[in-house]
Amino acid sequence: NLPKMNQQQQRLAKTHARSRRYSNQHRRYFSIQQHQPPPLPPWLLGPDGRRPRRLSPGVVGLHEELLLFNQWVAPTPAEAAIRCRVVDRLRALVLRLWPDARLEVFGSSRTGLYLPTSDIDLVLFGRWEALPLRALERALREEGCATDVQVLDRATVPIVKLRDSLTGLSVDVSFNMPNGVRAAELIASFQARFPCLAPLVMLLKLFLLQRDLNQVWTGGISSYALTLLAVSFLQLHDRRRELTLAPAHQLNLGTLLLEFLELYGRNFNYLTTAIRLSHGGAYVPKEEVQLDGAIHSARPSVLCIEDPLTPGNDIGRSSYGALQVKQAFEFAYLQLHRAVLSSTSQPGMFRSPLSSIVSAGPDLLRYREWAAGPADAL
């Protein structure tokens, strides 16, 4: 008889299965006969919603599509306002419980690097003898403003997870964790230094989301870790000086995306190498980061990223399925490379290279349609 899988192995197996299904769907989607091109994604539709935008052949067309994708995926003013109302309702509840407490937004909601349906990360600052996780849970249930309330009190960072009852957006509340706010400020500084960072990260976030590889607890990597991977890539790029000076539309984002995927999907040595972002960035031996002997533990870290705010802390340690992320990046590189070559050989066709690795997705489309409606109920 085969040994039973523990919960972590079961989660990883489910993630692998979903990722394989999604990759196979995209392979079938992109291998449709040349005279029957697949439907175009919404970011390639013109203002009238019908006539498609034409892309240049080759990697220039991929660059053009990345710009259009980022214009489309960027949260609308209505979507941003919805998120603000969610935070305001929770802040009002918190202040009724603890008038001296302070609730702050961090993560992608603070930096602007969030998809319309992304979680909202909040940190609650206050003075308590013990973290009031259960007190917040009870208040949320009694108020009726949240569903799916969960207390993760055994996590490395204890949090209260919930789903806003009016919008369906997920919210994570942590307690007295100043590094969350500091990390958001750090990412904002990297965004100011590298104008091309945001377009790359937004596409990669959707790519991982659609493969269930965007959450640490399912074996994927966090949004913070993904952004730091992109920052390291730009820091150590041969043209890093140009990347810090030119606005995104003046660079070739298509080339940068392919280079990112090739690096982390095919060339990066996950076995021995750690990523350091301080002092301009560097690759260092894992032993320099994993000072507590984690490299020799029963489950050593596959992806090792030194926390720029806390040297010695490995941000990638809990991402036990990082090799699945690597495989996904390699798949994306091969698909995009094929799509770019195909657009070069047959330049007259309407094509969407990005559709070989991402789609708008029914959940995202439904949410955007709902968010564009009347806001009276919110």
Side-chain angles (χ1 to χ4, degrees), residues 71-285:
Q71 292 174 11
W72 175 82
V73 82
T76 64
E79 291 164 354
I82 287 171
R83 298 172 80 87
C84 288
R85 293 189 191 103
V86 172
V87 176
D88 289 343
R89 286 195 293 271
L90 290 173
R91 181 174 285 118
L93 172 64
V94 163
L95 291 179
R96 286 199 298 272
L97 294 172
W98 306 288
D100 295 329
R102 187 174 87 255
L103 188 69
E104 291 198 31
V105 178
F106 71 100
S108 60
S109 294
R110 192 179 183 106
T111 63
L113 296 176
Y114 63 90
L115 300 172
T117 56
S118 289
D119 296 356
I120 301 175
D121 294 310
L122 304 175
V123 56
L124 181 57
F125 294 100
R127 295 183 178 182
W128 304 281
E129 292 184 4
L131 295 183
L133 290 90
R134 296 296 176 184
L136 180 58
E137 177 194 22
R138 286 193 300 272
L140 289 167
R141 294 186 186 280
E142 292 170 0
E143 190 77 11
C145 61
T147 60
D148 300 333
V149 183
Q150 301 177 58
V151 174
L152 305 183
D153 52 358
R154 295 185 180 181
T156 305
V157 178
I159 61 172
V160 175
K161 296 180 70 71
L162 62 111
R163 188 175 298 277
D164 180 70
S165 57
L166 293 180
T167 66
L169 291 172
S170 296
V171 182
D172 291 350
V173 183
S174 57
F175 297 80
N176 290 339
M177 296 294 294
N179 268 10
V181 177
R182 291 175 58 206
E185 294 170 348
L186 176 68
I187 295 302
S189 71
F190 285 132
Q191 287 179 258
R193 183 180 178 192
F194 296 109
C196 56
L197 177 63
L200 292 175
V201 169
M202 293 296 283
L203 185 280
L204 293 165
K205 288 186 72 167
L206 182 60
F207 173 76
L208 293 182
L209 168 67
Q210 293 182 336
R211 287 159 178 79
D212 266 357
L213 293 172
N214 65 320
Q215 299 282 356
V216 173
W217 65 276
T218 59
I221 61 175
S222 66
S223 172
Y224 185 45
L226 174 65
T227 305
L228 293 184
L229 285 180
V231 170
S232 174
F233 162 71
L234 297 173
Q235 283 181 324
L236 301 176
H237 198 281
D238 292 339
R239 295 184 291 116
R240 54 186 170 274
R241 179 172 174 78
E242 177 187 348
L243 299 180
T244 62
L245 297 175
H249 69 274
Q250 292 181 7
L251 300 168
N252 193 316
L253 295 176
T255 298
L256 289 174
L257 176 60
L258 285 168
E259 290 174 341
F260 174 96
L261 295 170
E262 185 178 27
L263 171 63
Y264 293 116
R266 311 191 93 185
N267 297 334
F268 186 77
N269 188 340
Y270 289 85
L271 183 63
T272 63
T273 308
I275 293 171
R276 175 171 288 165
L277 292 101
S278 57
H279 308 296
Y283 296 140
V284 299

